[in-house]
Amino acid sequence: MVLYDSSALSAGSGGGSGNSSSSSSKHPQTDIDGLLAGAGYKVRSSELTQVAQRLERLDTAMVNSPADFTQLASDTVHYNPSDLASWVDSLLSEFTHTSALPADGPGFLIDPGVNQTVPNSSWNDQSAPQIRRNVCFEQNQNHQVTVVTAMEEDSGIRLVHLMMTCAESVQRGDLGMATSFIEDMQGLLMRVNTVCGIGKVAGHFIEALSRRIFQVVGHISGSSAYENEILYHHFYEACPYLKFAHFTANQAILEAFDGHDCVHVVDFNLMHGLQWPALIQALALRPGGPPFLRLTGIGPPSPDGRDCLREIGLRLAELARSVNVRFAFRGVAAARLEDVKPWMLEVSANEAVAVNSIMQLHRLLGSDSTRNSPIETVLGWIRELNPKIMTVVEQEANHNQPAFLDRFTEALYYYSTMFDSLEACPLQPAKALAEIYIQREICNVVSCEGPALVERHEPLAKWRTRLAGAGFRPLHLGSNAFKQASMLLTLFSAEGYCVEENEGCLTLGWHSRPLIAASAWQAAPDGASEVGLINGGGNINNNDAL
Amino acid sequence: MVVPLNTWVLISNFKVAYNLLRRPDGTFNRHLAEFLDRKVPANANLVDGVFSFDVIIDRSTSLLSRIYRPASAEEPQPHIIELEKPVTSEVVPVIIFFHGGSFAHSSANSAIYDMLCRRLVHFCKAVVVSVNYRRAPENRYPCAYDDGWTALTWVNSRKWLQSMDNKVHIYLAGDSSGGNIAHHVAMRAVESGIEVLGNILLNPMFGGQERTESERRLDGKYFVTIQDRDWYWRAFLPEGEDRNHPACNPFGPRGKSLKGIKFPKSLVVVAGLDLVQDWQLAYVEGLRNAGQEVRLLYQDQATIGFYLLPNNNHFHTVMDEISQFVSSNHE
């Protein structure tokens, strides 16, 4: 007979020696069990008994009706496994028969005899999974740096060490020292294989460091929008990051638009509109017929009299016509996202709106003390639009740190991993051009400051806090999207890419390092925007009851 | 007897989730498994005196390992962390760790195993190399052993892991299926002359065709059933094989005697509420009968997974024992 010992909780929550999990006293509002948090589960200490009881009931139910539970196992869509209480509850609600189960009560004792296999008895109806309201918790995020490369040569290691030391000199302001390191490194580069591996990415970082040191005001990242688009297109082809972003966002948008006849997608960065043909086709095939789709594409103004946005709009309209989707396009030309005003989008009251931001929000994070922070302004008007969904994809990296060395170190590891993933790509010239695309990002992160520094990537944990503080609540992406994304990867990419679930969001990474994170959001109801404790996070499923 | 509530919740959660993943036809819902598994990235910044990073040991099989290192004594707060900086102490134990999961579940970057490895570094002042071996049923015997072997040869050839005597001081460790892997990798090491200084087996996963008394007595009582054990062996062993295959039952009717072989000393931890304990005790007997050095730690009232959270006496007892086992006094 197993008895729960609640008094062991105090030993549990405090954490053992050498343990970095937080104890209950750090979060007076949310008494999360510290040890379970270390294991990746967020459960309130006060809820442990209840969760335990429900797990037991669930287990009993599963044992008692193996046939139904096999169906449960294959049909259920799961959301945010970190929120254990909700996960267990949603599984329990799949089983409607409760009469055969022991009632919850104080001093619940588990009789281990219950766990033994019993003859099959059948259960009848199954209710649809209910939408669970999740509680978000503020998460202490450690500064994270990872590297996934096999550093075989000594020279490779020396190079990395030199780069870090150089970056440290730069941070200290000792440019003389830094310059001599550049020379050392350039010498070392000649002895290292620069076609692949650490040598390749080192070359880009050394170049970026040089630019910073010698204040090269280059236009490497300020080149024409046209060039950027070409590079972006090849980055799209060569590796799955953008495809994953588009696919996951479209999936979420499609589900959010369920049941709506007038829908309006606002794309923060149209580029070649690569994301939208798939959505148009999916809407065409929707049971009950497609809605009327409006697409507003934001992009930089076109040079020399062309209207690139309109050209892309026309192509998309062609496609929509060919699959019988009523479609209207509008282009909004803006040099910067913060120059866009909501009235330019002409959102009408009867439409369901989806705001789609693929790697755009981080550009708004530059702080300029002379005016309102652009990110707050933009998030503010998005919230007022009250979109059905806002899809956000961002680089999963901590590149927006004030200290240069920290930023440099993070970037080195992040882009090493990304370059490593690109090694396997067989497509040329896509691979070479994709590398140039990434190289420009590296240059921006490493050699720019102030308003010129636009690649201000922040990790998921920070975005969660930011968006929660701006009055948004998460819409969780579930196991269905996860599975489809995983399967898509095996079709289109080399082995080594992996999709992971991160508390309702999905990340795509190379081996064990997440590199890009996709999440979905909605405006939280008013009065519920305190940071750290928002009620009402929902899940994305086919029943749009939110 | 008493199990701490949060441990109970953790292990029950695994039990329930794992039930969803095993299909009666022997296939495994890998997508859902990866979705549900709580993972953490490596962290090259010191957290409680430990940092970690991932290395690809073998590109052809995408074999990843996560390496955990303590901050060095001379530089407890380094400004720049050099991941492969040579170890500086006179003797540094390097523990090659194989995570558990009955050959099918978990990964080196699973949160529970990341935590466990960090604690091993802390208690043993060791470098820990956690191997992300290929799992069943997609990869049956001997893939996991092959990967363990690859990791062993890789570790053995890292100059930066050598102690002052220019040798890497290697220990093999694992829990559940990881303990089984540690045994078999040690067997290969013996055959090829790589020296392994010791084996640490935590609730190792062994079995056999017959049903033992402990299996019948404890079936379904503490999170584990005979039925699920059978499923995992069917998923790991070659098709058509039974549980007397030497991978599962190394000292059974098809096993090999270790008499006269220079096998590493072993520390075997058995939980008194683990239904496969009779097989684990038989393993210990097998080592003893062959004249091998083995220390058995029988934790009377412990369930499986007791070592995953540091909230019970068994955990601390076992950590102390492991740390003594790998310290140079005992070599």
Side-chain angles (χ1 to χ4, degrees), chain B residues 67-194:
Chain B
I67 304 188
Y68 301 83
R69 297 185 65 171
S72 71
E74 309 91 47
E75 240 200 313
Q77 289 289 342
H79 199 40
I80 301 171
I81 290 188
E82 240 188 286
L83 299 179
E84 295 186 8
K85 189 169 164 180
V87 297
T88 48
S89 310
E90 194 177 321
V91 173
V92 178
V94 179
I95 302 175
I96 302 180
F97 179 78
F98 302 100
H99 66 80
S102 308
F103 294 105
H105 298 281
S106 294
S107 309
N109 61 347
S110 294
I112 48 169
Y113 286 112
D114 188 85
M115 287 203 303
L116 180 58
C117 288
R118 286 170 172 277
R119 290 178 185 133
L120 280 174
V121 172
H122 173 82
F123 284 103
C124 303
K125 311 282 178 274
V127 172
V128 173
V129 179
S130 180
V131 183
N132 199 42
Y133 59 88
R134 282 169 291 168
R135 297 163 301 185
E138 300 95 320
N139 302 287
R140 292 176 177 268
Y141 164 95
C143 293
Y145 302 160
D146 289 344
D147 290 350
W149 171 248
T150 304
L152 175 61
T153 53
W154 184 87
V155 166
N156 195 45
S157 61
R158 296 306 103 185
K159 284 206 165 63
W160 55 277
L161 285 175
Q162 289 173 348
S163 297
M164 291 263 186
D165 58 358
N166 292 333
K167 290 199 279 198
V168 186
H169 290 218
I170 298 176
Y171 295 83
L172 297 174
D175 71 310
S176 165
S177 52
N180 176 296
I181 296 172
H183 166 82
H184 288 285
V185 173
M187 290 293 289
R188 286 203 203 180
V190 158
E191 283 158 20
S192 70
I194 293 188

Side-chain angles (χ1 to χ4, degrees), chain A residues 151-165:
Chain A
M151 299 204 232
E152 288 122 351
E153 326 158 21
D154 282 335
S155 308
I157 298 170
R158 278 191 58 207
L159 210 43
V160 171
H161 193 66
L162 269 174
M163 281 193 279
M164 308 276 265
T165 317

Side-chain angles (χ1 to χ4, degrees), chain B residues 34-296:
Chain B
E34 293 306 297
F35 180 82
L36 294 175
D37 190 28
R38 307 291 80 203
K39 299 185 194 290
V40 294
N43 191 347
N45 296 294
L46 281 171
V47 175
D48 291 336
V50 180
F51 69 93
S52 64
F53 59 99
D54 293 332
V55 184
I56 303 176
I57 287 185
D58 184 334
R59 275 188 190 261
S60 60
T61 52
S62 283
L63 180 61
L64 212 59
S65 277
R66 179 163 290 179
I67 304 188
Y68 301 83
R69 297 185 65 171
S72 71
E74 309 91 47
E75 240 200 313
Q77 289 289 342
H79 199 40
I80 301 171
I81 290 188
E82 240 188 286
L83 299 179
E84 295 186 8
K85 189 169 164 180
V87 297
T88 48
S89 310
E90 194 177 321
V91 173
V92 178
V94 179
I95 302 175
I96 302 180
F97 179 78
F98 302 100
H99 66 80
S102 308
F103 294 105
H105 298 281
S106 294
S107 309
N109 61 347
S110 294
I112 48 169
Y113 286 112
D114 188 85
M115 287 203 303
L116 180 58
C117 288
R118 286 170 172 277
R119 290 178 185 133
L120 280 174
V121 172
H122 173 82
F123 284 103
C124 303
K125 311 282 178 274
V127 172
V128 173
V129 179
S130 180
V131 183
N132 199 42
Y133 59 88
R134 282 169 291 168
R135 297 163 301 185
E138 300 95 320
N139 302 287
R140 292 176 177 268
Y141 164 95
C143 293
Y145 302 160
D146 289 344
D147 290 350
W149 171 248
T150 304
L152 175 61
T153 53
W154 184 87
V155 166
N156 195 45
S157 61
R158 296 306 103 185
K159 284 206 165 63
W160 55 277
L161 285 175
Q162 289 173 348
S163 297
M164 291 263 186
D165 58 358
N166 292 333
K167 290 199 279 198
V168 186
H169 290 218
I170 298 176
Y171 295 83
L172 297 174
D175 71 310
S176 165
S177 52
N180 176 296
I181 296 172
H183 166 82
H184 288 285
V185 173
M187 290 293 289
R188 286 203 203 180
V190 158
E191 283 158 20
S192 70
I194 293 188
E195 191 186 6
V196 172
L197 295 172
N199 279 0
I200 301 157
L201 274 50
L202 284 175
N203 300 6
M205 186 170 159
F206 293 116
Q209 263 314 101
E210 75 176 269
R211 299 302 187 196
T212 61
E213 186 271 337
S214 66
E215 283 166 306
R216 280 182 264 112
R217 173 170 47 97
L218 293 168
D219 183 19
K221 294 221 164 39
Y222 296 101
F223 312 111
V224 184
T225 63
I226 293 178
Q227 202 181 36
D228 71 60
R229 294 297 98 198
D230 286 355
W231 190 99
Y232 291 116
W233 284 119
R234 262 199 306 275
F236 174 69
L237 295 169
E239 312 236 12
E241 285 283 0
D242 71 14
R243 290 184 303 276
N244 280 336
H245 186 285
C248 174
N249 195 357
F251 296 125
R254 294 161 60 186
K256 247 188 349 192
S257 166
L258 264 54
K259 267 207 171 76
I261 291 183
K262 192 170 177 290
F263 197 72
K265 63 173 181 175
S266 299
L267 174 65
V268 182
V269 177
V270 177
L273 298 175
D274 187 344
L275 87 173
V276 302
Q277 61 188 273
D278 284 350
W279 292 110
Q280 294 160 342
L281 294 169
Y283 174 79
V284 171
E285 266 311 294
L287 287 177
R288 286 205 176 116
N289 289 342
Q292 303 297 343
E293 188 187 334
V294 52
R295 177 164 170 70
L296 167 65

Side-chain angles (χ1 to χ4, degrees), chain A residues 1-6 8-9 12 16-20 33 35-36 38-41 48-49 51-52 55-56 58-59 62 69-70 72-73 78-82 84 87 91 110 112 115-117 142-151 157 161 164-165 168 171 405 413 420 477-479 482-483 486-487 495 500-501 503 506 511-512 514, chain B residues 1-10 12-17 19-24 29-32 34-45 47-48 52-57 59 61-64 66 79-84 109 111-112 115 118-119 122-123 158 216-223 225 227 309-311 316:
Chain A
M1 196 99 82
V2 179
L3 293 167
Y4 296 124
D5 179 6
S6 307
L9 266 186
S17 49
N19 188 322
S20 64
D33 182 276
L35 292 184
L36 287 181
Y41 298 100
L48 273 174
T49 308
V51 172
L55 275 167
E56 189 55 17
L58 187 53
D59 186 59
M62 286 159 80
F69 124 73
T70 311
L72 169 85
H78 301 256
Y79 297 97
N80 193 4
S82 285
L84 199 46
W87 182 73
L91 284 179
I110 315 165
N115 281 344
Q116 285 170 333
T117 319
N142 284 329
H143 170 119
Q144 297 195 349
V145 176
T146 61
V147 66
V148 184
T149 56
M151 299 204 232
I157 298 170
H161 193 66
M164 308 276 265
T165 317
E168 197 196 9
Q171 177 170 275
L405 179 59
Y413 292 143
D420 200 45
L477 307 169
S479 55
F482 177 91
K483 177 175 172 182
S486 303
M487 282 165 50
E495 250 210 56
E500 282 181 17
E501 195 284 336
E503 297 191 54
L506 297 186
H511 291 292
S512 58
Chain B
M1 75 120 296
V2 169
V3 175
L5 188 50
N6 45 9
T7 302
W8 200 95
V9 165
L10 183 67
S12 278
N13 157 64
F14 290 147
K15 176 181 67 166
V16 164
N19 283 344
L20 290 174
L21 302 173
R22 295 189 302 272
R23 297 202 195 95
N29 191 341
R30 182 62 65 190
H31 287 126
L32 185 56
E34 293 306 297
F35 180 82
L36 294 175
D37 190 28
R38 307 291 80 203
K39 299 185 194 290
V40 294
N43 191 347
N45 296 294
V47 175
D48 291 336
S52 64
F53 59 99
D54 293 332
V55 184
I56 303 176
I57 287 185
R59 275 188 190 261
T61 52
S62 283
L63 180 61
L64 212 59
R66 179 163 290 179
H79 199 40
I80 301 171
I81 290 188
E82 240 188 286
L83 299 179
E84 295 186 8
N109 61 347
I112 48 169
M115 287 203 303
R118 286 170 172 277
R119 290 178 185 133
H122 173 82
F123 284 103
R158 296 306 103 185
R216 280 182 264 112
R217 173 170 47 97
L218 293 168
D219 183 19
K221 294 221 164 39
Y222 296 101
F223 312 111
T225 63
Q227 202 181 36
L309 298 181
N311 56 4
H316 293 286

Side-chain angles (χ1 to χ4, degrees), chain A residues 35 73 138 190 194 206 227 241 249 254 314 391 445 464 521 527:
Chain A
L35 292 184
E138 189 179 318
M190 298 203 263
T194 55
I206 293 166
E227 265 182 42
Y241 303 107
L254 190 65
L314 284 174
T391 47
V445 175
R464 283 196 177 110
W521 303 83

